[in-house]
Amino acid sequence: MFKDERGDIGTDKGVRDGVETAPASFEEANINPDLIRREGFASEAEYRAYIATLGGHARVEGTVEEPLLVSDGHALEGRLRELREEIENLRARLHVIQHQAATVVTENVRWADASAHAQLGNQPWLKLAAAMAATFVVTRGIRRLPLGAVATTALPLVAAAMNRKFAR
Protein backbone atom coordinates (compact mmCIF):
# COMPACT_ATOMS: atom_id res chain seq x y z
CA MET A 1 0.00 0.00 0.00
CA PHE A 2 1.28 3.46 -0.93
CA LYS A 3 1.11 6.57 1.21
CA ASP A 4 -1.85 8.33 -0.52
CA GLU A 5 -3.75 5.16 -1.45
CA ARG A 6 -6.81 4.14 0.55
CA GLY A 7 -6.77 0.75 2.04
CA ASP A 8 -9.60 -1.54 1.02
CA ILE A 9 -11.23 -2.27 4.32
CA GLY A 10 -14.78 -2.32 2.98
CA THR A 11 -15.94 0.97 4.55
CA ASP A 12 -15.93 3.07 1.35
CA LYS A 13 -18.33 0.96 -0.74
CA GLY A 14 -20.84 3.73 -1.52
CA VAL A 15 -18.35 6.63 -1.60
CA ARG A 16 -17.54 8.10 -5.02
CA ASP A 17 -14.16 9.60 -5.56
CA GLY A 18 -15.18 11.71 -8.61
CA VAL A 19 -13.49 9.59 -11.25
CA GLU A 20 -16.54 8.15 -12.98
CA THR A 21 -19.49 10.17 -14.26
CA ALA A 22 -23.07 9.43 -13.43
CA PRO A 23 -25.49 8.83 -16.32
CA ALA A 24 -27.71 11.78 -17.19
CA SER A 25 -30.91 9.74 -17.08
CA PHE A 26 -32.16 6.22 -16.65
CA GLU A 27 -32.89 5.87 -20.38
CA GLU A 28 -29.38 6.91 -21.30
CA ALA A 29 -27.93 4.28 -19.00
CA ASN A 30 -30.01 1.54 -20.68
CA ILE A 31 -29.26 2.44 -24.36
CA ASN A 32 -27.57 -0.23 -26.43
CA PRO A 33 -23.98 1.04 -27.12
CA ASP A 34 -24.13 -0.41 -30.66
CA LEU A 35 -26.87 2.08 -31.54
CA ILE A 36 -24.95 5.18 -30.41
CA ARG A 37 -23.29 7.03 -33.29
CA ARG A 38 -20.76 9.72 -32.54
CA GLU A 39 -20.09 10.63 -36.20
CA GLY A 40 -22.44 12.14 -38.73
CA PHE A 41 -24.41 10.37 -41.43
CA ALA A 42 -23.12 9.97 -44.96
CA SER A 43 -26.57 10.22 -46.54
CA GLU A 44 -30.23 10.70 -45.76
CA ALA A 45 -30.89 7.00 -46.36
CA GLU A 46 -28.33 6.08 -43.70
CA TYR A 47 -30.03 8.49 -41.28
CA ARG A 48 -33.46 6.95 -41.96
CA ALA A 49 -32.03 3.45 -41.40
CA TYR A 50 -30.52 4.57 -38.10
CA ILE A 51 -33.85 6.05 -36.94
CA ALA A 52 -35.61 2.80 -37.93
CA THR A 53 -33.16 0.76 -35.79
CA LEU A 54 -33.98 2.96 -32.83
CA GLY A 55 -37.68 2.25 -33.36
CA GLY A 56 -38.70 5.90 -33.47
CA HIS A 57 -40.39 7.82 -36.17
CA ALA A 58 -38.78 11.22 -36.60
CA ARG A 59 -39.47 13.71 -39.34
CA VAL A 60 -36.48 13.91 -41.63
CA GLU A 61 -37.54 17.05 -43.46
CA GLY A 62 -36.96 19.34 -40.48
CA THR A 63 -33.80 17.69 -39.20
CA VAL A 64 -31.71 17.34 -42.36
CA GLU A 65 -30.55 20.71 -43.54
CA GLU A 66 -29.80 21.57 -47.12
CA PRO A 67 -26.14 22.33 -47.76
CA LEU A 68 -25.37 26.03 -47.60
CA LEU A 69 -24.41 27.25 -51.04
CA VAL A 70 -21.62 29.79 -51.20
CA SER A 71 -22.23 32.29 -53.91
CA ASP A 72 -19.64 32.57 -56.63
CA GLY A 73 -19.85 36.34 -56.35
CA HIS A 74 -18.31 36.29 -52.88
CA ALA A 75 -15.41 34.11 -54.07
CA LEU A 76 -14.91 36.31 -57.13
CA GLU A 77 -14.87 39.45 -55.01
CA GLY A 78 -12.22 37.94 -52.78
CA ARG A 79 -10.12 36.90 -55.76
CA LEU A 80 -10.55 40.35 -57.33
CA ARG A 81 -9.39 41.98 -54.09
CA GLU A 82 -6.33 39.69 -54.03
CA LEU A 83 -5.51 40.56 -57.65
CA ARG A 84 -5.83 44.29 -56.95
CA GLU A 85 -3.46 43.97 -54.01
CA GLU A 86 -1.01 42.06 -56.19
CA ILE A 87 -1.22 44.75 -58.90
CA GLU A 88 -0.52 47.45 -56.32
CA ASN A 89 2.44 45.44 -55.06
CA LEU A 90 3.79 45.06 -58.61
CA ARG A 91 3.32 48.79 -59.27
CA ALA A 92 5.29 49.62 -56.15
CA ARG A 93 8.06 47.23 -57.19
CA LEU A 94 8.08 48.68 -60.72
CA HIS A 95 8.39 52.19 -59.27
CA VAL A 96 11.41 51.07 -57.23
CA ILE A 97 12.98 49.45 -60.31
CA GLN A 98 12.42 52.62 -62.39
CA HIS A 99 14.02 54.70 -59.65
CA GLN A 100 17.00 52.31 -59.51
CA ALA A 101 17.38 52.38 -63.31
CA ALA A 102 17.40 56.19 -63.30
CA THR A 103 20.03 56.12 -60.57
CA VAL A 104 22.17 53.68 -62.58
CA VAL A 105 21.97 55.85 -65.71
CA THR A 106 22.85 58.98 -63.74
CA GLU A 107 25.79 57.25 -62.08
CA ASN A 108 27.04 55.94 -65.46
CA VAL A 109 26.96 59.46 -66.88
CA ARG A 110 28.89 60.74 -63.84
CA TRP A 111 31.42 57.93 -64.21
CA ALA A 112 31.92 58.66 -67.93
CA ASP A 113 32.40 62.35 -67.19
CA ALA A 114 34.89 61.63 -64.39
CA SER A 115 36.75 59.18 -66.63
CA ALA A 116 36.98 61.74 -69.44
CA HIS A 117 38.27 64.38 -67.01
CA ALA A 118 40.85 61.93 -65.68
CA GLN A 119 42.11 61.07 -69.18
CA LEU A 120 41.85 64.42 -70.94
CA GLY A 121 42.05 66.99 -68.11
CA ASN A 122 39.91 70.12 -68.21
CA GLN A 123 37.35 70.45 -71.01
CA PRO A 124 37.59 66.82 -72.11
CA TRP A 125 34.69 67.05 -74.54
CA LEU A 126 36.34 69.90 -76.43
CA LYS A 127 39.57 67.91 -76.68
CA LEU A 128 37.67 64.83 -77.81
CA ALA A 129 35.84 66.85 -80.48
CA ALA A 130 39.20 68.22 -81.71
CA ALA A 131 40.63 64.68 -81.94
CA MET A 132 37.58 63.55 -83.95
CA ALA A 133 37.89 66.51 -86.32
CA ALA A 134 41.59 65.80 -86.83
CA THR A 135 40.81 62.15 -87.62
CA PHE A 136 38.23 63.25 -90.17
CA VAL A 137 40.67 65.60 -91.90
CA VAL A 138 43.47 63.00 -92.01
CA THR A 139 41.09 60.37 -93.44
CA ARG A 140 39.95 62.76 -96.17
CA GLY A 141 43.59 63.51 -97.02
CA ILE A 142 44.50 59.83 -97.27
CA ARG A 143 41.54 59.20 -99.59
CA ARG A 144 42.82 61.86 -102.02
CA LEU A 145 46.29 60.30 -102.31
CA PRO A 146 46.93 58.00 -105.31
CA LEU A 147 47.44 54.90 -103.17
CA GLY A 148 46.90 52.50 -106.07
CA ALA A 149 50.23 53.52 -107.69
CA VAL A 150 52.02 53.54 -104.32
CA ALA A 151 50.68 50.05 -103.46
CA THR A 152 51.65 48.71 -106.87
CA THR A 153 55.21 49.99 -106.39
CA ALA A 154 55.54 48.93 -102.73
CA LEU A 155 54.09 45.42 -103.07
CA PRO A 156 57.14 43.85 -104.83
CA LEU A 157 59.47 45.49 -102.28
CA VAL A 158 57.48 44.06 -99.35
CA ALA A 159 57.41 40.58 -100.95
CA ALA A 160 61.21 40.64 -101.48
CA ALA A 161 61.79 41.66 -97.84
CA MET A 162 59.58 38.80 -96.62
CA ASN A 163 61.42 36.26 -98.81
CA ARG A 164 64.78 37.38 -97.43
CA LYS A 165 63.50 37.06 -93.86
CA PHE A 166 62.17 33.51 -94.43
CA ALA A 167 65.38 32.48 -96.24
CA ARG A 168 67.53 33.07 -93.18
Side-chain angles (χ1 to χ4, degrees):
M1 192 164 66
F2 295 101
K3 179 180 177 186
D4 292 332
E5 188 178 341
R6 287 192 222 169
D8 188 17
I9 57 174
T11 59
D12 56 350
K13 294 273 184 200
V15 178
R16 295 182 180 229
D17 52 353
V19 175
E20 70 275 11
T21 57
S25 66
F26 178 73
E27 293 85 17
E28 186 177 321
N30 293 330
I31 291 179
N32 184 354
D34 295 332
L35 298 177
I36 297 175
R37 290 194 46 116
R38 301 275 182 220
E39 309 89 32
F41 296 99
S43 67
E44 187 175 334
E46 186 179 332
Y47 175 71
R48 286 180 189 258
Y50 176 70
I51 293 297
T53 59
L54 292 177
H57 300 284
R59 287 184 358 183
V60 175
E61 291 80 26
T63 57
V64 178
E65 296 181 13
E66 292 297 321
L68 180 63
L69 297 175
V70 177
S71 67
D72 289 338
H74 180 68
L76 291 176
E77 287 174 4
R79 182 69 177 139
L80 183 62
R81 184 177 58 250
E82 290 174 4
L83 290 174
R84 285 184 178 152
E85 290 173 1
E86 189 173 342
I87 287 172
E88 288 301 318
N89 185 18
L90 290 173
R91 283 184 180 160
R93 293 170 81 186
L94 182 62
H95 177 71
V96 169
I97 290 171
Q98 286 175 341
H99 183 4
Q100 289 175 345
T103 303
V104 166
V105 169
T106 303
E107 291 303 317
N108 282 343
V109 168
R110 286 184 186 158
W111 174 82
D113 188 49
S115 177
H117 279 286
Q119 292 176 8
L120 302 173
N122 291 338
Q123 300 178 346
W125 303 113
L126 181 61
K127 292 178 181 177
L128 188 59
M132 291 173 66
T135 304
F136 177 76
V137 169
V138 168
T139 304
R140 279 288 225 195
I142 290 175
R143 281 189 180 173
R144 291 190 178 187
L145 290 175
L147 291 179
V150 172
T152 305
T153 308
L155 192 58
L157 296 174
V158 171
M162 288 174 55
N163 284 336
R164 276 182 275 160
K165 188 173 187 181
F166 287 130
R168 289 185 195 176

